[in-house]
Amino acid sequence: MLAPPVYPDFEQAYVDVLRHITYAHQYRNAPRGNASRESLGLSFELANPRERLPYLAARKVNPAFHFAEALWYLSGRDDVEMIEYYAPRMRAVSQDGKTVRGSAYGSRIFQPIGGGDREGDGDRDDAVSPFDRVLSLLRTETASKRGLLPIFEAHEMTVPDNPDMSCAIALHLLVRAGRLHMVCYMRANDCDRGLLADVFSFTMIQEYAAVQLGLELGTYIHHIGSAHLGDRDLDRVDRVLTEAADRPAASTSRFPFPPMPADTAPTTLATVLRHEEALRTNQAPYRPADLAELGLAPYWQQVLLLFEAQRQLTHCPADPVEKDVLTSLDAGPRWLLAHRWPSRMPRGFEPVR
Ligand code: 5HM
């Protein structure tokens, strides 16, 4: 088969990838000390990239982290400060303790290209980001194959003992039959850990691009050079596979993911991130009733509600998450939070009504 298999949602693709590497891996190795099982050249396609999260009790997903990472990318950031609040391990990949290099994919996509006279033609920096250049191209030349957003940079190979070399090589946007498709190229993916975060954030970038272009969301194709699982995660992977085997394959998601609002613009992201910072730094609690006053669509209000739940989890460690925050959340994120932090749920709380 030359084309990748097509899945209705990420959960089913994820389970198949885990099953394949567990039972049909080609190699056992330990690059940079990480004992792994590995398959070379794995690909899958998602028919509906909006269904970007697995709902498996054995795989405890934090939806606040995923939205935070997607927003961190979408705003072109590379600061440790924001991302380590949601993913403390990110500090370890920073060389100066302040910025992230290889894994700050958004800075490669959404920041203008710096670095001087690359072409040797006297023109120095480009004031337009690769993302904006690709959108301009796709607005005028819709059948183009040039909508490429490079991430990996050759100079990453020159950093001695580089703690953070980009795992993503490029994202590729293609308009076909009036829909915006994305192809993602990865040199490597840890398929229990990195894959989940990468598919979530990249499909968010795809959907944001579709919104900017006024196009329907197309399909998402993910290609991996080295697809691997760490030995340290095999027990959890086993529990995920057992849970998935007991569940009949469904053609529709249990918790349909809402579409990104059509008026989402860079200013929307800036507003969401301003409130995110207030919550992350514990400046004030945000009550569900107050969110409607912020001038944001319900979709982004839900994201801020997740950040409020994260504020309570981080800054109020002795208390359960407040019930009115949980009941104001959509059923999917509520289910995920309840499975991720069962000990922080209010007494007698039922995550899905
Ligand atoms: O030694 P190497 O640079 O390949 O190790 C990076 C590890 O993080 C690999 O297991 C890689 O697959 C995983 N990873 C991922 O899956 C890393 C990043 C961050 O760039 C990512 N996805 N986004």
Side-chain angles (χ1 to χ4, degrees):
M1 188 164 59
L2 294 177
V6 183
Y7 295 88
D9 57 35
F10 176 62
E11 179 176 308
Q12 293 179 47
Y14 168 64
V15 167
D16 257 12
V17 168
L18 294 183
R19 193 181 292 120
H20 182 85
I21 303 175
T22 303
Y23 297 113
H25 56 271
Q26 296 168 292
Y27 303 103
R28 307 257 321 237
N29 49 31
R32 300 177 76 239
N34 297 318
S36 317
R37 290 156 199 232
E38 179 183 52
S39 296
L40 301 188
L42 243 63
S43 304
F44 59 82
E45 177 171 340
L46 303 180
N48 181 1
R50 212 168 267 134
E51 298 308 336
R52 46 175 73 94
L53 279 174
Y55 294 93
L56 294 153
R59 185 63 181 85
K60 301 184 188 313
V61 165
N62 177 7
F65 157 69
H66 288 296
F67 276 108
E69 187 185 68
L71 285 163
W72 189 68
Y73 287 156
L74 283 165
S75 52
R77 291 171 71 149
D78 63 1
D79 58 310
V80 173
E81 192 179 340
M82 175 181 167
I83 202 65
E84 78 162 337
Y85 173 80
Y86 303 94
R89 66 181 183 282
M90 290 300 279
R91 176 160 287 273
V93 303
S94 169
Q95 281 178 310
D96 61 4
K98 290 193 177 68
T99 51
V100 178
R101 292 289 184 84
S103 297
Y105 301 153
S107 67
R108 310 264 165 100
I109 297 171
F110 294 96
Q111 290 293 339
I113 307 166
D117 186 9
R118 290 176 189 225
E119 307 275 302
D121 58 3
D123 285 344
R124 295 195 70 81
D125 299 349
D126 186 347
V128 179
S129 71
F131 185 77
D132 286 339
R133 282 218 176 273
V134 163
L135 291 199
S136 307
L137 171 74
L138 298 181
R139 279 191 182 102
T140 50
E141 221 187 293
T142 45
S144 180
K145 312 182 284 292
R146 296 183 174 187
L148 195 74
L149 300 165
I151 295 174
F152 177 80
E153 292 179 349
H155 72 77
E156 294 183 60
M157 298 291 288
T158 66
V159 178
D161 197 23
N162 190 344
D164 184 27
M165 187 167 137
S166 304
C167 291
I169 301 166
L171 301 177
H172 191 185
L173 291 171
L174 299 122
V175 181
R176 295 293 181 269
R179 301 199 301 153
L180 184 68
H181 306 270
M182 179 182 270
V183 182
C184 165
Y185 303 90
M186 306 288 303
R187 73 168 170 87
N189 243 170
D190 178 317
C191 291
D192 184 45
R193 298 176 180 219
L195 179 65
L196 242 98
D198 292 339
V199 169
F200 186 96
S201 289
F202 299 163
T203 57
M204 287 288 287
I205 293 172
Q206 178 187 3
E207 190 169 8
Y208 179 72
V211 163
Q212 305 314 303
L213 292 168
L215 295 172
E216 290 290 311
L217 187 60
T219 59
Y220 173 83
I221 297 171
H222 194 85
H223 293 303
I224 313 171
S226 159
H228 50 270
L229 288 175
D231 287 0
R232 65 192 165 184
D233 296 323
L234 290 183
D235 287 348
R236 176 170 65 191
V237 167
D238 201 46
R239 289 197 299 279
V240 168
L241 292 178
T242 305
E243 182 179 344
D246 291 342
R247 177 189 290 185
S251 55
T252 53
S253 171
R254 283 159 85 188
F255 302 113
F257 203 104
M260 189 181 287
D263 61 357
T264 300
T267 50
T268 318
L269 304 183
T271 305
V272 173
L273 280 165
R274 194 159 40 78
H275 295 297
E276 180 279 332
E277 185 178 356
L279 288 164
R280 171 164 42 88
T281 53
N282 200 23
Q283 289 171 33
Y286 279 40
R287 307 264 159 238
D290 301 339
L291 292 173
E293 312 297 315
L294 301 178
L296 288 166
Y299 180 96
W300 294 111
Q301 291 177 34
Q302 283 284 313
V303 175
L304 290 181
L305 211 49
L306 275 173
F307 294 151
E308 165 62 17
Q310 183 70 60
R311 185 195 67 77
Q312 295 183 21
L313 287 161
T314 307
H315 294 289
C316 315
D319 302 324
V321 178
E322 287 167 14
K323 203 167 178 175
D324 64 336
V325 169
L326 293 167
T327 53
S328 303
L329 275 171
D330 288 347
R334 183 166 66 234
W335 188 94
L336 293 171
L337 284 187
H339 285 81
R340 176 73 176 78
W341 284 284
S343 65
R344 301 294 303 277
M345 293 298 109
R347 199 182 293 271
F349 179 70
E350 270 296 324
V352 179
R353 285 167 295 159

